[in-house]
Each structure stands twice: as structure tokens, then as C-alpha cells.
């Protein structure tokens, strides 16, 4: 039995952050009902990446919203609002990711929901928290990366380099999920409801907790290496290097040992471990020149038996050919109600040795409105 | 009351992934007891970044292990093992991040623990799962980034660019936390224990779930823009641009509207929205030249009132001066038992309007061994 079986999540959220939390709750067994506005629905339905359209909607929407139901309601219509209130009364979790104040205007804020459903877990993601002068700014992933210092950690020394995924949306989603689950634990013991709040700003800052703790201590901003940077705070060889036929990564390792294993004489003078940080630019430059002279396979054949942390750099096509990847069965095929099928990832958590898969695709806008109405009225 | 108050976590994990899950559980109220080997302890204690030493140990260790207890035990000594078994019997959660097979050899694997503690939640993080030909490979963050295709998403077109943080460790930690919490919910309802398993490989792949879903559909590997890439799957202007006095980010936006607001005539021919993706290299090049002619403040003053998603690029020093950041109180000061104080981040989740702060610093190696022994014996 899935841990959240019999739990109902009424989800007003859109885009990525909130819906990614809803996806995880669905995979854990909850029934997740998206409340969407008629005609347009979740804006993510038409938030295309690479202009790819799958069954009339964006691939992003299909990836994030599989295994959910869709209920359309015009929150300005009294009849529709009454139906949504019936759903909210039955909900274990109510969630949204509107800007502060919007749910208050719509009337479905925590105080109002709690009045009809006292032990509800009410969860919300904002961009910048509900207080302070930034609270009304738009909570968008790249903007949050820009504002929180995150762009000075990736890439080489020079200008800012963002992380090339909606990393803050996803982290805010994981934090919200954690908060919701923790409060469900408490509720099952104490019968108490809760308000759970996460902001993208706090999630973006939390992501940097290690580096920021170092900064609080020494007051030095991150210094990325001139080339081959993979972590501003780590010494050589930490980075990715080109070889004669591709790329390979080298994590932490002793420079003298590498010099010997790779037969790289130019590295021999770098005998002290401490130099690996302070002289990392020189060391990385020497390594980079040397590694170009052999194939990835030839280097790995020498380094891996010596327990040096290294790996080839794969892309999705080559990754998917690997037996080590296939064995994990990360790919699942899901089917929409109209029969449209697509492949996507599954929940990365295993329970009692079982995969938390589901073959249910994303919902067409409002596909479950009528059946849910029947339930409510009955 | 914190949601996990009265819960005991016995944590055998080291480095980052497992301990980051333990940190979150501690912030949610659990008592987290680190089981460490005598003399050396968690290897992370001496895993320095930038060679920064805080009170004799690494800043990373202090960041991840605040608010925990430390119990030293030699798992090869019968007397110490007997004490650890007493702790394991009392535990609500037992966790580790050893390679597959290690806990079996040590005797504290799930089956053995379950035999004495039937409703335990036993949670483990591996590098590559417990099956398949990769299961014994070293689970290190950069190697996982390299193997899973993640390095082809950040940076501009060309070679692989890793994300400059231990992102996979942290995600695996969040996934483990989710699994543990979900199973605690189920346990509180059904009284059942559980085995929760996460791997860094599955977490790294899950992070790319949107992009990979698009890849399954069209079979095209990610194409980053030539310059100013911030997301391989998004069109212009999405990226970070240099201005006369710094850098700014621009998220999604209509090119014709930008042309008008920025008074950038060279952009006027790009009237179709669809061109923003297919002609993004040209558009980004034009924008980049134009934005250099004014200050960040001057551009934001035009774009923000028009609701264009844009922001300045800050670093930690400038971020911390912002009232919008200060209002969130993300910084907390913690104190070790010996009086050593340091500043670090707090849990990013708010509950019932309260911050989940704690002023307890990281534990010195074995500092709680004696007091815990007294508890066990009594």
C-alpha cells in the first residue's frame, strides 16, 4: 500500500514548483486534484520548451502532471466556488503557489479553509516569502538564481553562469513536500492541522548552505578556477576534462598519485596536498593538456583500478545504452484518458523494494470535473 | 511542537547526501544521533572546502551536522556493537549511505534491524542502486553529474559544464527525507515499518525529468544557445546579460515588446514569438550588445513596471544588504558544546508562521557517547 493512499490533495498550483510537489505526493499514493480555470487551465499546459507540442500541450506539463486529476472551476462563479468548497472540506492537503494576497482575494486562504476544515495541511510556495519589500516580485526560477548568488558557482571564473534547469522551482517543491509530509506525521499523532510555507528565495539560499557557511566564516566570495571549474571551493583535479575522444570527470584525488598513474611528469613537482587548492589553475592546465593525449577509456582503465574517483561524461543517448542505467528502470510509459501515450521518468524513491510507478498520464483540462461533481453531490 | 519531536533517528551516514537528510529531520524536530567511528568520525569532518578550518574541522561538516548528537562506536568491537544495537532498537528511523553490501557485512542491514525493531523505517542512499553492473561504483556528486547527461544543460554550446554545487548529494538527501516522512505517515496510521531506498543516479535523472520527457518525445539531445544560455529548451531572451555596470537576467518575454521597451531597433524584425526559440542565437547577440549600453538600474526601471520578468544579478555580499532578504531571517547563529559559535543557514520551511530555527551547533566527535550510554544502561 502506498503511504498516502486515501489522502486527498486539492492543488491550486500552476507552473512548476507547486505541481512538482503535487507529483511527488501523487507518486506516494495521494489523490491529487488540480483546480484549473476553465478554457486555459494551468498556464504550464502551454509553457512550451523547444516549441515541442505533445498531444496539444507542453512536454513540461505532461512531465509534471501525470497521475493527477483535473477539475475546472471559475473561482469568480458562485456555483463553481461552492463545488470547490466541498472539495476543500474533504481535503487532507490544500496547496497553491500564488503570489501573497491572491488566495486571500479568492477567499481560499488558510484562515478561511481552516474554518471549514480544522485539521487541514495548507501549503504554499511564494517567490520571496510573505513579508518584506520583495514579496510582490515575480517568483521565477532564473530571477531567483540571479538574486541569490547562485550564478557565481557554476562555470569558470568570469561572468555569472546559471544552472541550466529550473532548479529553484524543483527545490521549493521538494521542501514543500517535506513540510507537508512532516505535518501529516504530526496530524496522524496529534490531530493538528498546519500551515506550511516555503519560498523560492529561501530554497535557493538553502541550496547554498555549505558554501554560505564558509562565506560567513571567511567573508570571501566564491572564486571559480580559470578553467575546468566544477566546484568553486574544491582544489584540483576536481573538474571535467577533454580527452582524445570525449570528456571525463575527475573528482577529489591526490595530485602526486595522479601524476604517477597518468605518467604526467609535469605534475610531479606538485607534491603537497594543500597545493591542490591554491595552485589549482596551474595543475588543471597541466592535466588538461595531458589528458588530451589519450582516450577516455585508456585513462579510466588506469585510474579506476586505483580507486581514483573518475567517470566518462555521457549524454542521454549513451546513458540509456548502459546496463547500469537500464537495471534501474527509470523510464515509464504513461497513458492519458484519450489513449495518448508518452514516456517519462518515475518517482526516484523505492519502498520495500518496490518502484513507485504509475501508468496514469496527465489529465486533459477538466476531464474529471463531472465525475468529481457526482462524488461531491452524492 | 515540531512535527518530529520524540522521534529518534540513528544515522550511520557520512559525507553529504545522508547527513543532509538527517539535518532536515533534525530541523523538523527529530533527535538525530550520528554513529561515528572513534578517532576519525564522519569523513566529512575533514573534507575541507577552500582549505577552510573552523574549530578544527571542515565548514561543510559544521553546515550539515548542526543540531545533531555524536555517538562513537567501533562496529568491530562486540561491546560497542551491543550499545549500537540498543540504540537501533529504540530508533524510529535508521539510515546510512554506505555502498551496497557494507551494512550487510557490518550486520546492521534492514533484515537484521527489522528483526529487533519490526516497525523501523530503514532508509539508505546508494550511488547507483542495489542492482546492476554499476552498483559498486563510487557514488560521488561530480561523477554522477557526468554520467547522467546533466553536464549538457548548463553553460553555453560546446563542452560539458557541471553545476557548481553538490547538487546530486542534496537532491538524494531530499528524496530520502520525503521517503522517510511518507513512511512515518503510514506507520502512524498502519503501524508498518518500511525500507526506503534512494540512489544518487536516480535522483540525478529525476532532476532532469522535464527535459528528459521532451527527449523521449523528439529524440533530440539538448542544444544550448551559443551565448547567454540559461536553459537549453527555452528561447530568447532567457539568459543573463552584461550591462554597463553589472549583469542582469531576463526570463521569458515577448521579443517585440522588449524591442519597444528597450528602444532596440535591431530587434524589431523579430516579430513572431516562434522565432524566439529558433533564432535565439541572433536575438541574444543583439540584446547582449544593446544591454551593454545602459546600466542595470536603467533597464530594470523600464522593464519591471511593464511586468517583464527580469532581475539584477547579486552576489552574497550584495544580497545580504537587501531588505527583501533580511526580512526572511535566513541566517542563524549556532553554538557548539565547547562554546564555538558560527553562522549558517536555517531550515527553509516555515510552519504555522514559525521559523524552524535551532541554536545547537555541530557535535564534537563522540561528545554525546557517555550521556547516551547512561540512557541506554538505565
Amino acid at each position: 500500500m502506498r503511504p498516502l493512499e486515501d489522502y486527498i490533495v486539492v492543488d491550486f498550483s500552476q507552473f512548476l514548483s507547486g505541481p512538482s510537489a503535487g507529483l511527488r505526493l501523487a507518486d506516494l499514493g495521494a489523490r491529487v486534484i488540480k483546480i484549473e480555470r476553465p478554457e486555459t487551465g494551468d498556464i504550464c499546459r502551454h509553457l512550451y520548451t523547444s516549441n515541442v507540442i505533445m498531444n496539444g500541450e507542453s512536454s513540461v506539463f505532461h512531465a509534471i502532471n501525470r497521475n493527477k486529476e483535473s477539475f475546472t472551476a471559475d473561482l469568480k462563479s458562485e456555483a463553481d466556488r461552492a463545488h470547490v468548497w466541498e472539495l476543500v472540506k474533504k481535503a487532507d492537503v490544500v496547496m497553491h503557489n500564488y503570489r501573497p494576497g491572491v488566495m486571500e482575494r479568492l477567499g481560499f486562504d488558510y484562515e478561511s479553509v481552516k474554518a471549514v476544515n480544522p485539521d487541514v495541511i495548507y501549503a504554499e510556495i511564494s517567490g520571496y516569502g510573505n513579508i518584506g519589500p520583495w514579496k510582490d516580485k515575480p517568483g521565477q526560477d532564473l530571477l531567483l538564481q540571479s538574486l541569490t548568488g547562485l550564478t557565481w558557482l557554476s562555470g569558470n571564473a568570469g561572468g555569472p553562469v546559471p544552472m541550466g534547469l529550473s532548479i529553484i522551482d524543483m527545490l521549493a517543491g521538494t521542501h514543500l513536500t517535506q513540510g507537508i509530509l512532516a505535518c501529516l506525521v504530526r496530524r496522524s499523532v496529534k490531530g493538528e492541522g498546519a500551515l506550511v510555507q516555503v519560498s523560492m528565495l529561501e530554497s535557493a539560499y538553502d541550496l547554498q548552505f555549505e558554501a554560505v557557511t564558509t562565506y560567513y566564516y571567511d567573508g570571501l566570495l566564491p572564486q571559480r578556477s580559470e578553467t575546468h571549474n566544477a566546484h568553486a571551493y574544491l582544489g584540483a583535479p576536481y573538474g571535467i576534462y577533454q580527452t582524445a575522444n570525449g570528456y571525463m570527470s575527475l573528482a577529489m584525488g591526490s595530485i602526486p598519485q595522479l601524476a604517477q598513474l597518468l605518467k604526467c611528469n609535469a605534475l610531479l613537482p606538485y607534491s603537497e596536498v594543500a597545493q591542490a587548492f591554491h595552485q589549482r589553475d596551474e595543475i588543471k592546465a597541466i592535466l588538461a593538456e595531458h589528458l588530451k593525449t589519450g582516450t577516455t577509456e585508456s585513462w579510466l582503465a588506469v585510474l579506476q583500478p586505483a580507486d581514483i574517483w573518475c567517470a566518462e561524461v555521457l549524454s542521454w543517448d549513451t546513458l540509456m545504452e548502459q546496463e547500469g542505467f537500464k537495471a534501474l528502470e527509470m523510464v515509464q510509459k504513461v497513458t492519458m484518458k484519450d489513449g495518448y501515450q508518452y514516456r517519462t521518468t518515475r518517482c526516484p524513491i523505492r519502498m520495500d523494494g518496490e518502484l513507485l510507478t504509475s501508468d496514469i498520464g496527465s489529465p486533459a483540462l477538466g476531464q474529471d470535473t463531472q465525475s468529481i461533481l457526482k462524488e461531491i453531490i452524492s
Side-chain angles (χ1 to χ4, degrees), chain A:
Chain A
M1 204 192 110
R2 300 271 166 111
L4 300 187
E5 223 164 285
D6 302 330
Y7 285 80
I8 296 177
V9 178
V10 172
D11 185 2
F12 291 88
S13 71
Q14 298 194 95
F15 289 115
L16 312 182
S17 63
S20 71
L23 176 61
R24 187 56 38 83
L25 298 173
D27 282 335
L28 291 168
R31 178 180 178 191
V32 178
I33 302 172
K34 283 178 80 71
I35 307 295
E36 298 189 79
R37 74 185 68 183
E39 284 163 47
T40 50
D42 182 343
I43 296 169
C44 188
R45 288 181 179 271
H46 299 286
L47 193 75
Y48 298 111
T49 59
S50 305
N51 295 339
V52 170
I53 300 179
M54 288 166 58
N55 205 19
E57 293 180 327
S58 78
S59 50
V60 185
F61 179 83
H62 291 302
I64 303 188
N65 293 288
R66 60 179 177 74
N67 204 6
K68 300 181 186 173
E69 300 175 28
S70 169
F71 182 88
T72 44
D74 174 357
L75 296 180
K76 282 164 188 157
S77 137
E78 275 312 314
D80 283 14
R81 289 173 62 83
H83 295 144
V84 173
W85 274 116
E86 290 306 311
L87 275 176
V88 162
K89 281 182 204 165
K90 287 168 175 267
D92 297 283
V93 176
V94 171
M95 53 188 273
H96 76 87
N97 60 355
Y98 284 113
R99 288 193 207 183
V102 172
M103 273 308 229
E104 283 72 11
R105 286 199 293 280
L106 292 171
F108 292 96
D109 55 283
Y110 179 48
E111 291 306 323
S112 308
V113 168
K114 195 171 124 180
V116 299
N117 185 347
D119 64 352
V120 72
I121 309 299
Y122 188 96
E124 57 186 31
I125 300 179
S126 65
Y128 305 81
N130 291 39
I131 45 168
W134 281 2
K135 70 181 169 55
D136 298 318
K137 284 164 86 89
Q140 194 281 332
D141 193 89
L142 180 60
L143 309 190
L144 264 304
Q145 291 198 42
S146 304
L147 289 168
T148 54
L150 194 62
T151 61
W152 303 100
L153 295 171
S154 302
N156 296 324
V161 175
M163 292 181 174
L165 275 177
S166 302
I167 186 79
I168 311 305
D169 279 308
M170 289 187 250
L171 280 165
T174 66
H175 294 152
L176 197 75
T177 308
Q178 291 175 347
I180 291 168
L181 291 170
C183 289
L184 284 175
V185 173
R186 183 174 66 179
R187 192 181 77 160
S188 62
V189 177
K190 306 266 172 193
E192 288 171 20
L195 170 64
V196 178
Q197 291 167 303
V198 164
S199 76
M200 292 175 71
L201 178 59
E202 286 158 290
S203 291
Y205 199 67
D206 175 72
L207 170 61
Q208 304 171 80
F209 76 115
E210 292 174 51
V212 152
T213 302
T214 303
Y215 174 71
Y216 287 138
Y217 177 75
D218 65 13
L220 300 172
L221 290 172
Q223 300 293 325
R224 294 162 293 179
S225 54
E226 292 295 327
T227 61
H228 304 88
N229 176 62
H231 196 302
Y233 292 85
L234 294 176
Y238 207 86
I240 291 182
Y241 297 86
Q242 194 162 9
T243 65
N245 66 339
Y247 293 90
M248 63 180 281
S249 56
L250 274 170
M252 299 83 169
S254 141
I255 300 299
Q257 194 189 0
L258 276 176
Q260 222 170 17
L261 288 167
L262 299 172
K263 298 195 175 33
C264 179
N265 293 334
L267 272 189
L268 286 174
Y270 297 89
S271 54
E272 296 287 326
V273 174
Q275 292 176 333
F277 185 75
H278 295 297
Q279 296 184 294
R280 62 184 177 174
D281 283 339
E282 297 170 35
I283 295 171
K284 285 181 170 188
I286 293 169
L287 260 176
E289 277 313 303
H290 189 74
L291 291 170
K292 278 184 198 155
T293 64
T295 61
T296 302
E297 294 74 17
S298 70
W299 301 125
L300 296 182
V302 173
L303 299 176
Q304 286 180 334
D307 277 332
I308 301 286
W309 285 351
C310 58
E312 62 266 54
V313 174
L314 300 176
S315 45
W316 297 327
D317 52 349
T318 46
L319 169 66
M320 289 179 198
E321 290 166 1
Q322 309 292 320
E323 295 304 322
F325 177 76
K326 287 185 199 167
L328 298 181
E329 303 175 67
M330 270 305 288
V331 189
Q332 64 181 356
K333 189 184 269 183
V334 298
T335 307
M336 293 177 68
K337 261 200 176 162
D338 67 2
Y340 183 83
Q341 293 193 320
Y342 60 96
R343 280 173 299 163
T344 186
T345 56
R346 60 163 173 80
C347 177
I349 306 167
R350 243 168 244 254
M351 277 178 190
D352 302 322
E354 303 283 317
L355 298 179
L356 302 175
T357 54
S358 156
D359 58 5
I360 300 173
S362 59
L365 180 59
Q367 71 171 28
D368 305 293
T369 309
Q370 289 311 317
S371 60
I372 291 171
L373 280 178
K374 267 186 208 153
E375 275 182 63
I376 295 171
I377 291 158
S378 74

